[in-house]
Amino acid sequence: MTLESESHPSTGQPVGLPVDDTPARRPGPVTLEGRHGRVERLDQHHDATLWKAVEGRDEIWTYMSSYGPLADSAAFSEWLAGRLTLGDPYSYAIVDRSGQAVGIATLMEIRPAMRVIEVGHIVYSPALQRTPLGTEAQYLLARYAFETLGYRRYEWKCNAHNLPSRRAALRYGFFFEGVLRQHMIAKGRNRDTAYFSMLDGEWPARKAAFEQWLAPENFDASGKQRASLSELNGAATPW
């Protein structure tokens, strides 16, 4: 990788390129409408349908660093209530066309001054996994982060053992940056963390790939995709 730079006017040393240092905006209680559903601010009224969607699926919580699985609906409702008080991570519900909440995603590690934000704490129920809405929700959040809030770096991080998450990051068009060794202690175990990013300069091409994949003509009469998002993004597994 070649680092782009300008030279310092006095010393000649490389000092990087100038950027707009206007702070980005913090995420807020928006509703992001899509063709397959919507992303909206997480609220207590989502707890019943979310619990129904994740009940008994302990594998959803394995790689969460500090919580889950939840024992019952009361524990889940209490956990969800705690999420609502947090400004970082800022939680959104993913809602299908029938109005049922089937997943959660957050915008987190929010650094407006650096214009850096992460999408994480992703809880996808079986009803959301491998569906157009699951992909559309990621498109809607990325578009919101880049185009509305003004971030220049959009991050994805996960437990290095979480291969489905790593593959998803590549499919969505994130760039694999490497693994931070012994990065965290998660639920009493070592966690190495895989880092991915998407930059504002890369977003137009990623947006086009998302929109081409989501277009109705990309699916046949049985709902099978004609072109994969991985193909559209030229994703190759780097490990």
Side-chain angles (χ1 to χ4, degrees):
M1 179 185 296
T2 301
L3 297 178
E4 295 183 276
S5 182
E6 291 183 354
S7 298
H8 189 280
S10 300
T11 68
Q13 295 167 292
V15 289
L17 297 177
V19 299
D20 178 3
D21 60 1
T22 304
R25 294 165 52 193
R26 301 188 71 85
V30 294
T31 297
L32 309 173
E33 295 283 356
R35 180 178 296 112
H36 301 282
R38 64 183 184 270
V39 174
E40 63 187 26
R41 175 62 165 141
L42 185 67
D43 192 84
Q44 197 66 42
H45 76 261
H46 293 119
D47 63 353
T49 56
L50 277 170
W51 173 248
K52 182 179 179 181
V54 304
E55 182 180 6
R57 304 307 296 259
D58 288 0
E59 71 277 7
I60 292 172
W61 309 94
T62 300
Y63 295 112
M64 297 297 178
S65 60
S66 61
Y67 54 79
L70 287 310
D72 52 33
S73 60
F76 181 81
S77 184
E78 181 180 358
W79 170 80
L80 188 146
R83 310 305 290 176
L84 304 182
T85 67
L86 303 175
D88 186 357
Y90 194 92
S91 300
Y92 294 93
I94 301 168
V95 181
D96 67 19
R97 283 182 292 189
S98 71
Q100 304 298 299
V102 289
I104 299 171
T106 79
L107 294 177
M108 56 183 284
E109 299 291 333
I110 304 164
R111 291 182 282 158
M114 295 297 106
R115 295 171 59 197
V116 176
I117 199 167
E118 177 183 347
V119 59
H121 290 275
I122 296 169
V123 179
Y124 271 25
S125 73
L128 185 57
Q129 295 168 10
R130 297 182 177 274
T131 67
L133 176 56
T135 296
E136 184 176 58
Q138 295 300 326
Y139 160 71
L140 292 170
L141 285 167
R143 188 180 68 181
Y144 177 56
F146 284 120
E147 298 184 10
T148 301
L149 301 181
Y151 286 90
R152 62 192 296 264
R153 174 180 167 88
Y154 191 55
E155 297 181 333
W156 179 291
K157 306 188 190 95
C158 63
N159 188 309
H161 289 299
N162 190 351
L163 294 182
S165 182
R166 293 175 68 163
R167 288 193 292 266
L170 295 176
R171 177 176 175 268
Y172 295 141
F174 287 84
F175 177 81
F176 175 61
E177 295 184 326
V179 174
L180 271 63
R181 301 177 300 162
Q182 294 190 11
H183 179 234
M184 298 174 63
I185 298 173
K187 297 177 180 175
R189 295 180 182 273
N190 175 66
R191 171 174 148 164
D192 297 342
T193 298
Y195 268 59
F196 300 81
S197 68
M198 188 185 299
L199 306 183
D200 55 350
E202 298 162 349
W203 171 241
R206 300 296 178 255
K207 177 182 181 180
F210 270 122
E211 292 179 350
Q212 185 175 344
W213 187 86
L214 288 164
E217 55 268 28
N218 189 44
F219 297 88
D220 65 20
S222 66
K224 183 178 180 180
Q225 66 181 4
R226 302 184 191 279
S228 74
L229 185 56
S230 293
E231 292 169 343
L232 295 172
N233 277 317
T237 303
W239 53 80

